[in-house]
Amino acid sequence: MLYQINVANQHYIFNDLKTLLAKATPERSGDQLAGIAAVDATERVAAQMCLANVPLQQFLHEAVIPYEEDEITRLIMDEHDAEAFYPISHFTVGDFRNWLLSADATTEKITALKMGMIPEMVAAVSKIMRNQDLILVAKKCRVVTRFRNTLGLEGRLSTRLQPNHPTDDLMGISASILDGLMYGNGDAVIGINPATDNLQTLTELLKLLDHVIQEYEIPTQSCVLTHITSGIQLANKNVPIDLMFQSIAGTEKANTGFGINLELLQEGYEATLSLKRGTMGQNVMYFETGQGSALSSNGHHGVDQQTLEARTYAVARKFNPLLVNTVVGFIGPEYLYNGKQIIRAGLEDHFCGKLLGVPMGCDICYTNHADADQDDMDVLLTLLANAGLNFMMGIPGSDDVMLNYQTTSFHDALYIRQLLGLKPAPEFGHWLERQGILAQHSNQLHWPTELPKQFSRLILS
């Protein structure tokens, strides 16, 4: 179907919905690399104006990737709930934006829509929103999940304690865990990116994390971020896996590049559920995503990277995850060139994920060759925290010594919690208070002059 509009005495024609979505996307290097971006700001505005007039119904009739060619498209279309969609079925994209920003769009009403919206609708409306719009609407959305604690509650901001080590040294990892706990980090998950996928090393890391959590009775969960095929092998050997991890994308072809498909994700989900390690809930999956992943594996089908990222959240919500993390600036400047593009992408991802019912966190980060710095990350962190982000990263000194990229630190979590009066997950907050680390009434951390005796054993053992 052709989409047409006249702007500034010029007639613009967009050949299909896929093209219109790409041309309407705020500027980013990945779409330029793919050759699908608007040629200039005027064409971008024309596409956004045209997109605003597209009925939401059209997205159900014109798939950006054909149903017959892609299992993610089939998942999206097959799981669409027509009854949930009905209240907004008469809207255009522009109407949808106006409604989301209105007082009538309450948390309860937005939540009720989640299975009635498909990712392409949500991506489309994000493209005609300013940053402040993305923040205001996302703030209305709450996605609460549980394993050994409760994540996503209003007034809370959780952290993933990321104690990576370039050689998977258990002593070095233990020191980082201790450092993070003393800053009140780790309620979302204590999660290690391993330097190797050797099953024996993975087993040792998982047993270390399980020992720390059980020995000190910490109400949190652990994860070693290995490929799901390795995770399934470990689960079948009854190795203590709390959360099953996998990086995912928004097309079947891109997921094939990751060595996965929906059937394998289901197998991993069921294997982790069978361990029954959750005490408060059974949200057992941890997914990571990022704009540009499909393009980097040549699995993008000519669709813009932000729309494909939104499609990724349909994959995630299929498996009831505890955590979904957009690693926003990690893939590099080929896809998000500078701080401005990273900030915009982080707000888009959080907005789209929350509307689709996904428990969104963000690795607020950049690579060393991107045109970005830590000030940009401070801005994005502050904006996302105001938007109701579920969790962020906590890494020693903001510098991951294993993955070699820049992200947020334990101290950054302290800053944003103090600034906005945000607290950790309630169960974890009570544990911090019992350890003498957090004064809950004032939301202030305190560092004892001597480490609590039980923590000293963490390093010594």
Side-chain angles (χ1 to χ4, degrees), residues 38-317:
V39 296
D40 55 28
T42 305
E43 185 183 30
R44 183 174 302 112
V45 170
Q48 290 169 342
M49 293 173 65
C50 190
L51 182 61
N53 292 322
V54 174
L56 293 183
Q57 289 274 5
Q58 182 62 23
F59 292 87
L60 300 174
H61 303 301
E62 186 179 351
V64 296
I65 303 173
Y67 184 92
E68 299 76 18
E69 297 179 13
D70 185 86
E71 70 171 357
I72 310 306
T73 300
R74 294 193 290 274
L75 171 70
I76 290 167
M77 295 303 184
D78 292 349
E79 294 207 333
H80 178 252
D81 186 334
E83 185 176 346
F85 177 58
Y86 179 76
I88 60 169
S89 60
H90 59 290
F91 284 171
T92 63
V93 174
D95 294 332
F96 189 33
R97 172 192 177 273
N98 293 340
W99 180 78
L100 286 169
L101 290 167
S102 73
D104 185 54
T106 62
T107 298
E108 293 73 23
K109 288 183 178 180
I110 294 174
T111 302
L113 287 175
K114 69 177 183 180
M115 296 307 296
M117 296 179 284
I118 68 169
E120 290 84 349
M121 295 175 189
V122 174
V125 75
S126 76
K127 296 176 191 297
I128 63 169
M129 287 180 145
R130 291 173 56 185
N131 286 359
Q132 64 174 249
D133 300 336
L134 300 174
I135 294 167
L136 185 62
V137 175
K139 180 70 172 177
K140 300 180 184 183
C141 303
R142 308 306 314 174
V143 183
V144 178
T145 55
R146 294 177 175 86
F147 189 77
R148 290 200 188 97
N149 56 20
T150 307
L151 304 174
L153 296 171
E154 189 169 3
R156 308 276 173 171
L157 175 62
S158 297
T159 60
R160 170 186 162 191
L161 200 171
Q162 186 169 309
N164 294 346
H165 193 279
T167 63
D168 291 332
D169 179 74
L170 299 185
M171 188 74 76
I173 289 170
S174 297
S176 292
I177 293 172
L178 176 59
D179 189 19
L181 290 172
M182 295 301 289
Y183 272 97
N185 280 239
D187 51 334
V189 63
I190 303 175
I192 302 170
N193 295 92
T196 175
D197 280 334
N198 175 275
L199 290 180
Q200 181 58 40
T201 300
L202 298 175
T203 300
E204 291 175 359
L205 293 174
L206 285 162
K207 287 183 175 179
L208 168 66
L209 294 177
D210 184 57
H211 166 73
V212 171
I213 289 172
Q214 302 301 331
E215 176 75 11
Y216 307 111
E217 300 179 340
I218 308 172
T220 191
Q221 38 281 328
S222 68
C223 185
V224 172
L225 283 68
T226 187
H227 193 271
I228 194 169
T229 52
S230 297
I232 291 170
Q233 291 183 65
L234 295 168
N236 290 338
K237 294 179 179 180
N238 207 33
V239 174
I241 292 179
D242 291 343
L243 305 182
M244 183 69 72
F245 169 79
Q246 183 55 48
S247 294
I248 57 175
T251 73
E252 180 179 348
K253 189 174 181 181
N255 281 324
T256 299
F258 283 139
I260 62 168
N261 54 32
L262 294 177
E263 183 180 2
L264 184 61
L265 292 176
Q266 183 68 33
E267 182 182 350
Y269 178 50
E270 292 175 0
T272 318
L273 280 175
S274 70
L275 299 176
K276 298 179 180 178
R277 293 178 58 80
T279 57
M280 297 191 67
Q282 292 298 321
N283 297 115
V284 299
M285 302 299 284
Y286 176 18
F287 294 121
E288 288 193 342
T289 73
Q291 289 192 29
S293 59
L295 177 58
S296 69
S297 62
N298 196 31
H300 62 103
H301 297 269
V303 181
D304 71 272
Q305 64 186 39
Q306 191 260 329
T307 297
L308 293 181
E309 174 71 6
R311 284 168 54 98
T312 306
Y313 305 146
V315 178
R317 72 180 179 186

Side-chain angles (χ1 to χ4, degrees), residues 416-433:
I416 199 66
R417 282 174 172 168
Q418 287 183 347
L419 177 70
L420 301 178
L422 299 170
K423 296 182 179 182
E427 302 84 0
F428 190 79
H430 293 313
W431 180 83
L432 289 172
E433 188 173 36

